[in-house]
Amino acid sequence: MSELETALIKEAVKKSGMLWIGLPELPQPRAAWHLAHDGSVYVLTGGEGEQPLPGLPQADTVPVTVRSKDKGGRLVTWVAEVSLVEPGSEEWDIIVPLLAKERLNAVTHEGQTELWARESYVVRLTPTGEVTEVPGRQPDDYATVRPVPTPATTAPKNPFMVGGKRRKVDR
């Protein structure tokens, strides 16, 4: 991996709040929020209400795609070595409070780290040095990826606003 690719990965991961992880036995990558720290990326998976990333804790390596902050399209794809952060370890004590701060839409923040220690996995993704895609070196046959099916929907129309006034067009 060149210095330029290393810098690109570091900057892209730092600026993007989301990345896509290619998981074993799944046909398409899954989006995941993450924490960038000290040259690695940390993600949380498993447990009630946490992001489902099936097979990630058991994988040896996975491809990671980071999007462009300004355009939203894929910017760089690199191969990561997967390792678990064990509860009670020195690394756990450093990373988990930082992850908890980044976990914006948690059901409750009370007892969150203890719950993660019991029910979830904190996974460290460390670049192996293999970069498969960078700007100018992306496959032409890459098709858009269909979103993962979900029961989530959008509201059919905006709610009625009491006291809201309609603007008149000046002519």
Side-chain angles (χ1 to χ4, degrees):
M1 181 165 51
S2 72
E3 286 184 37
L4 183 60
E5 291 171 339
T6 302
L8 176 62
I9 290 170
K10 185 177 182 180
E11 194 65 23
V13 166
K14 183 172 74 172
K15 289 189 182 244
S16 181
M18 187 75 60
L19 47 81
W20 283 262
I21 302 172
L23 299 169
E25 301 178 23
L26 287 184
Q28 60 198 32
R30 289 278 176 102
W33 65 272
H34 67 282
L35 169 73
H37 182 75
D38 201 24
S40 292
V41 174
Y42 295 85
V43 295
L44 177 73
T45 185
E48 186 67 33
E50 299 304 338
Q51 58 192 351
L53 301 170
L56 180 61
Q58 295 80 23
D60 294 325
T61 61
V62 292
V64 177
T65 301
V66 184
R67 68 182 180 151
S68 166
K69 180 74 172 175
D70 58 344
K71 302 286 185 190
R74 74 187 197 282
L75 181 62
V76 61
T77 301
W78 47 280
V79 177
E81 179 184 337
V82 177
S83 59
L84 296 179
V85 178
E86 295 298 329
S89 68
E90 184 178 331
E91 186 177 23
W92 178 274
D93 294 339
I94 293 169
I95 295 303
V96 168
L98 297 173
L99 274 171
K101 241 181 4 184
E102 294 293 319
R103 182 71 165 95
L104 300 178
N105 58 349
V107 175
T108 179
H109 288 286
E110 291 187 31
Q112 185 175 50
T113 57
E114 294 81 12
L115 183 66
W116 289 351
R118 285 192 314 271
E119 297 182 4
S120 301
Y121 297 98
V122 175
V123 180
R124 180 180 57 237
L125 303 174
T126 306
T128 62
E130 182 183 350
V131 178
T132 58
E133 291 183 10
V134 293
R137 196 177 61 180
Q138 294 171 324
D140 293 334
D141 63 344
Y142 187 90
T144 56
V145 177
R146 290 186 179 20
V148 175
T150 176
T153 62
T154 56
K157 65 178 187 173
N158 291 335
F160 175 74
M161 299 293 288
V162 176
K165 294 185 179 181
R166 193 178 235 345
R167 290 186 181 184
K168 293 182 182 180
V169 178
D170 293 334
R171 294 189 185 209

